[in-house]
Amino acid sequence: MVTLSLAGWTVSLEFEDVALEEVLVQRAFPAFLTSEPARAHVRVLRPSVSRPPPESRSLPEPRPVPGGGLRVEGEDYVADLAPEGRSATVRGEGRYPLDTVLKVLLAGELARRGGLLVHGVAVEHLGRAALWTGYSGAGKSTLGGLWARSGGTVLADELVAVWPEAGGWRAAGTPWNVGLPREASLRAVGLLGWDAASRWEPLGAGEVARVLLLNALLPEASVAGRRHLLGAASRLLADVETARLVFARDASAADAVRAALSAVK
C-alpha cells in the first residue's frame, strides 16, 4: 500500500496486482508519495473479465447511484465511490482506471473546499501562479515548455487544483503529464492566444468564465455538481485577475508572464 499527497489531500492506494503497483509507484507518482496519514482510500482490483482498452477515451461523468455514492464507468473498467467521497473501489487494468478515479475523488475534495480541478497549465514566479485554460490546441503545453526552458517552475500542464483559503486562492500541481507536488498563491486566470509578439492583456471575467466552466471537472453529474461548478468559478474569477496571454513561440512569452506576475497585486 502507498499514499499520495495531492493538493494537500492524502489518499492510500491498495493494489491486488502488485506489478501494477510497482509500475505506478516507480513511473507515475514517485514525486507525490508521502508518509502522512491517508484521508481517503482507493482499492484497485483486477477485472472479473478482461476487456481491451478502447482506441480513444474521454473522461466519463461521475453519476449518482441509488443509496448514495457515485459510479464511474468506461468500456473496460468500473468504479464505485462511497457517499462521503473518501473511498472507492475500481476494477480495471492499467493506469487509466485508477487515474480516472483519483481525478474524480480529487475534484470532489476540492469541491468540499469550494475549489476546482481545471484542465490547464499553471506556472509559478515569486510564489505567485497564473493558470491558463482553453481548448485543445490553445497552446497550454507549448507555454509550459517555453516556461520550463526559461528556468521557470511549471506546477502542472494538464490538471491544476485550485481552492480558496483565507487571504486568497491557491494553485497546486497534480501528477498527470507534467506536474509537481508544489503550491503557490493563485493571482491570475486566463486564456491563451497566438501572435508574433508576446503580451499580457486584460480580459473580462465573463469571457474567461465561459471557457473555464468547460474545462473544470464536474464533481458529479447532478444539479448540485453543476451548481458547485458555477459558484466556485464565479468566486474565483471575482477574486483574481483575468487576462489573455497572447504569445509567440519564443522566450518573449516567459518574459511577459514574469513581468505580469511580478507586478500583479
Side-chain angles (χ1 to χ4, degrees):
M1 188 179 298
V2 297
T3 302
L4 307 179
S5 179
L6 309 174
W9 172 72
T10 51
V11 53
S12 63
L13 310 178
E14 179 185 353
F15 295 87
E16 186 177 37
D17 185 344
V18 176
L20 177 60
E21 178 179 354
E22 292 177 350
V23 168
L24 291 180
V25 170
Q26 293 172 7
R27 300 181 186 177
F29 303 123
F32 291 82
L33 295 176
T34 183
S35 58
E36 297 177 7
R39 296 167 54 193
H41 179 74
V42 177
R43 190 177 180 211
V44 184
L45 304 176
R46 296 186 184 93
S48 54
V49 178
S50 181
R51 296 184 177 90
E55 293 184 3
S56 62
R57 294 187 186 270
S58 59
L59 193 65
E61 291 186 337
R63 300 194 174 277
V65 295
L70 300 172
R71 170 159 286 194
V72 183
E73 193 167 5
E75 295 87 342
D76 58 341
Y77 71 94
V78 61
D80 289 297
L81 286 64
E84 82 285 352
R86 294 183 175 89
S87 62
T89 299
V90 53
R91 289 188 179 272
E93 296 177 307
R95 178 179 174 179
Y96 184 85
L98 175 59
D99 275 346
T100 300
V101 170
L102 287 175
K103 291 171 185 177
V104 172
L105 286 172
L106 180 56
E109 166 63 19
L110 292 168
R112 287 186 285 275
R113 301 184 205 170
L116 299 164
L117 187 58
V118 180
H119 180 60
V121 56
V123 301
E124 177 194 353
H125 179 59
L126 299 176
R128 302 169 178 176
L131 165 62
W132 310 101
T133 189
Y135 309 105
S136 178
K140 298 183 294 296
S141 295
T142 301
L143 176 62
L146 291 169
W147 186 258
R149 285 194 290 275
S150 76
T153 298
V154 179
L155 293 178
D157 77 344
E158 182 173 336
L159 287 172
V160 183
V162 301
W163 67 96
E165 288 188 342
W169 285 72
R170 303 289 290 173
T174 65
W176 295 288
N177 204 19
V178 175
L180 293 173
R182 184 164 170 168
E183 298 178 11
S185 174
L186 182 61
R187 300 300 183 88
V189 177
L191 309 181
L192 297 171
W194 301 105
D195 203 349
S198 300
R199 59 190 182 275
W200 177 296
E201 302 175 339
L203 186 64
E207 189 169 348
V208 177
R210 285 191 291 272
V211 181
L212 176 64
L213 288 170
L214 293 173
N215 285 278
L217 270 67
L218 195 64
E220 64 175 69
S222 67
V223 172
R226 293 182 176 86
R227 185 183 299 121
H228 157 72
L229 208 66
L230 181 60
S234 298
R235 290 188 293 273
L236 169 62
L237 298 180
D239 291 343
V240 304
E241 181 176 336
T242 53
R244 186 191 308 277
L245 176 67
V246 181
F247 71 104
R249 292 181 173 89
D250 58 33
S252 67
D255 293 340
V257 174
R258 281 196 179 90
L261 283 178
S262 296
V264 71
K265 295 182 180 179

